[in-house]
């Protein structure tokens, strides 16, 4: 049976129907790479990511409630143009809240 794993999709590409399908199918890996890029809504806006910190955290809650044993990884960019210490701290708190299983970080 073919196994399916999602790699690096944009957070907007996780409709509830996809999450339900992932939870139902044994051949879909319970692993999601959900690139946050930053934990600061203002930095995300400068990056033109199209979502806020709050929307990302809501998606994480939806994922964990639909797929309880999910493993989540992410990408982060630190020192993005004009990033302040407070904005960087927002990223650190996001990482603490989500408790990623793996992360790729770039500076």
């Amino acid at each position: 049976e073919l196994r399916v794993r999602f790699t690096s999709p944009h957070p907007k590409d996780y409709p509830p129907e996809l999450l339900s399908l992932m939870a139902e199918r044994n051949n879909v890996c319970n692993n999601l790479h959900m690139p946050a890029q930053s934990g600061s809504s203002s930095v995300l806006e400068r990056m033109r990511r199209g979502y806020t910190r709050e929307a990302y955290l809501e998606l994480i809650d939806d994922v964990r409630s639909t797929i309880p044993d999910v493993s989540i990884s992410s990408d982060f960019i630190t020192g993005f143009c004009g990033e302040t210490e407070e904005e960087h701290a927002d990223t650190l708190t996001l990482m603490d809240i989500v408790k990623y299983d793996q992360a790729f970080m770039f500076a």
Side-chain angles (χ1 to χ4, degrees):
E1 185 171 334
L2 177 69
R3 291 195 40 92
V4 178
R5 180 183 307 269
F6 291 93
T7 58
S8 296
H10 193 283
K12 70 176 174 43
D13 296 328
Y14 286 107
E17 299 82 10
L18 175 60
L19 297 176
S20 295
L21 182 67
M22 291 178 70
E24 294 167 6
R25 302 291 175 115
N26 290 331
N27 67 321
V28 178
C29 297
N30 287 345
N31 174 269
L32 293 176
H33 185 74
M34 302 181 68
Q37 304 298 347
S38 175
S40 165
S41 290
S42 57
V43 172
L44 291 169
E45 183 177 0
R46 290 198 304 274
M47 290 177 166
R48 297 187 174 114
R49 292 294 293 169
Y51 56 87
T52 63
R53 170 192 175 99
E54 294 75 22
Y56 184 88
L57 286 170
E58 185 176 318
L59 176 58
I60 292 291
D61 288 344
D62 291 347
V63 166
R64 291 199 190 276
S65 66
T66 306
I67 311 167
D69 59 343
V70 69
S71 168
I72 299 176
S73 59
S74 191
D75 297 333
F76 292 95
I77 299 171
T78 188
F80 188 76
C81 303
E83 182 180 56
T84 66
E85 289 293 324
E86 182 179 322
E87 291 168 330
H88 180 70
D90 288 343
T91 298
L92 297 177
T93 60
L94 180 84
M95 294 173 76
D96 190 47
I97 292 167
V98 176
K99 302 196 181 328
Y100 296 96
D101 295 284
Q102 183 177 13
F104 300 92
M105 296 173 236
F106 306 91

